[in-house]
Amino acid sequence: MGKTIAVANQKGGVGKTTTSVNLAASLAAFEKKVLVIDADPQANASSGLGVDVKQAECTIYECLVNDVDIHEAVFTTDIESLDVIPSHIDLVGAEIEMLNMPSREKVMRKLIQPLKKEYDYIIIDCSPSLGLITVNCLTAADSVIVPMQSEYYSLEGISKLLSTIKIIKSKLNPELEIEGFLVTMYDSRLRSANQVYEELKNHFEELVFQTVIQRNVRLSEAPSHGIPVLLYDAESTGAKNYMSLAKEILVKNEK
C-alpha cells in the first residue's frame, strides 16, 4: 500500500506547491510510482506539472462533488512514473456543495483508497486554509509535511495548524502523523533565518527535516515552464535540495 502525504500549512506563500511538485518529481526520479493530487483551487501544482487546467475535463472537483471515478481524472506528466490529478477554480465552491454529504470529511479518503494500491507515494497539495477540503486531505493522509519559511511569523502560525492536526487525529484519522517540518526559502546568510531554524529544531527535534530548501532562482523559474526544477535544471541548488528531501523521506519510510 502506498503512503499518502499531505503538504499543508494555512499560511500562504511558504512553498507548499513548490514542495509538492518537486518532492513528487524527486521521488519519481528514485523510481517510485508517484501521484500528485492538487487540492488547491489555484491549481498551481497542476500547471507546474504541465496540465492545461482550462482544457482539463475531469479534475478533483468532479470526483469530490459528482462522484466521478477518480481514475478518469489522472493525467500523465513529462516525468515517467509521475501522474497528477489536477484542480480547478470550481473547487472554491466545493466546500459548500459538500456540506450536506454524509461523512463529508471523509470523501477524499474514500476517493483515493483504490489508488493506494497503484502508487508508492500520493502527495496532496493542500490549499492555504483550514477549511473542509483541507480537513478532507488531512483525513485521507497518513502523514503531513509542514513547509515553513525561516522567519518568525511562520512560527506564530504553526500552533493553529498543530491544533487542527490534533483534532483530526482524535476525531477523524487516528493514524495521522507529522512527516516533518520543512524549512523553505532558507538563506543561511541571515541571522534571523538561522535563529528560526535552531528554534524549530529545539522545539520539534527529529520532526524537523535535516534538508532545508534554499532560496533558488531556478526553483522559482521552473513553474512558468510547466515542469519541475529537476527537468528545468537538474544541477541547480533547488533540484539538489528536493532530491535530498526525497532521499530523507525514503530512508525514513523504507527501513
Side-chain angles (χ1 to χ4, degrees):
M1 289 287 270
K3 180 164 195 178
T4 304
I5 303 174
V7 182
N9 190 332
Q10 80 277 17
K11 196 173 186 307
V14 295
K16 282 188 298 294
T17 299
T18 301
T19 295
S20 301
V21 166
N22 292 295
L23 170 59
S26 301
L27 287 168
F30 281 111
E31 298 183 346
K32 298 296 170 189
K33 188 102 176 80
V34 188
L35 173 71
V36 172
I37 297 178
D38 189 350
D40 184 348
Q42 295 174 77
N44 291 334
S46 309
S47 56
L49 285 167
V51 176
D52 182 349
V53 183
K54 293 188 185 77
Q55 301 297 320
E57 286 178 21
C58 188
T59 69
I60 193 68
Y61 169 79
E62 281 78 17
C63 299
L64 285 168
V65 174
N66 301 329
D67 204 21
V68 171
D69 182 352
I70 192 113
H71 292 92
E72 290 185 31
V74 176
F75 285 66
T76 55
T77 72
D78 289 340
I79 292 183
E80 199 181 336
S81 76
L82 173 59
D83 295 337
V84 58
I85 293 177
S87 183
H88 193 275
I89 191 66
D90 288 352
L91 198 61
V92 168
E95 305 212 344
I96 295 162
E97 294 177 70
M98 291 166 70
L99 281 179
N100 296 322
M101 287 186 181
S103 304
R104 61 187 182 199
E105 297 89 356
K106 297 181 179 177
V107 180
M108 180 81 82
R109 184 180 192 152
K110 201 172 121 217
L111 262 185
I112 67 173
Q113 204 54 45
L115 296 173
K116 287 177 80 84
K117 296 191 284 286
E118 299 167 32
Y119 293 92
D120 298 309
Y121 288 92
I122 297 173
I123 309 286
I124 308 178
D125 184 29
C126 300
S127 69
S129 78
L130 293 176
L132 183 58
I133 300 289
T134 300
V135 168
N136 259 271
C137 297
L138 294 172
T139 304
D142 299 306
S143 67
V144 54
I145 289 174
V146 183
M148 51 192 296
Q149 279 181 268
S150 48
E151 52 183 48
Y152 284 106
Y153 290 127
S154 300
L155 287 175
E156 285 175 8
I158 221 72
S159 58
K160 181 89 178 85
L161 179 66
L162 291 178
S163 63
T164 301
I165 290 170
K166 200 172 168 185
I167 292 164
I168 287 169
K169 201 172 159 66
S170 67
K171 292 190 163 50
L172 295 164
N173 181 6
E175 311 298 311
L176 186 64
E177 299 293 338
I178 291 176
E179 189 74 29
F181 293 92
L182 175 68
V183 173
T184 61
M185 304 176 205
Y186 181 71
D187 186 343
S188 58
R189 296 167 302 181
L190 297 177
R191 203 167 100 208
S192 60
N194 292 312
Q195 283 173 338
V196 170
Y197 185 43
E198 288 309 315
E199 208 169 309
L200 253 186
K201 284 200 290 190
N202 288 339
H203 195 70
F204 295 109
E205 298 170 344
E206 73 280 355
L207 281 178
V208 181
F209 286 112
Q210 296 294 319
T211 304
V212 295
I213 309 300
Q214 291 159 277
R215 281 194 183 278
N216 181 242
V217 175
R218 310 303 267 170
L219 201 52
S220 53
E221 288 173 349
S224 64
H225 297 268
I227 50 175
V229 71
L230 205 56
L231 289 186
Y232 183 59
D233 184 353
E235 291 304 308
S236 66
T237 303
K240 288 174 180 170
N241 288 167
Y242 277 107
M243 284 298 280
S244 165
L245 176 65
K247 195 171 182 182
E248 204 175 324
I249 287 170
L250 290 172
V251 168
K252 181 180 171 184
N253 285 290
E254 300 184 8
K255 284 174 183 171

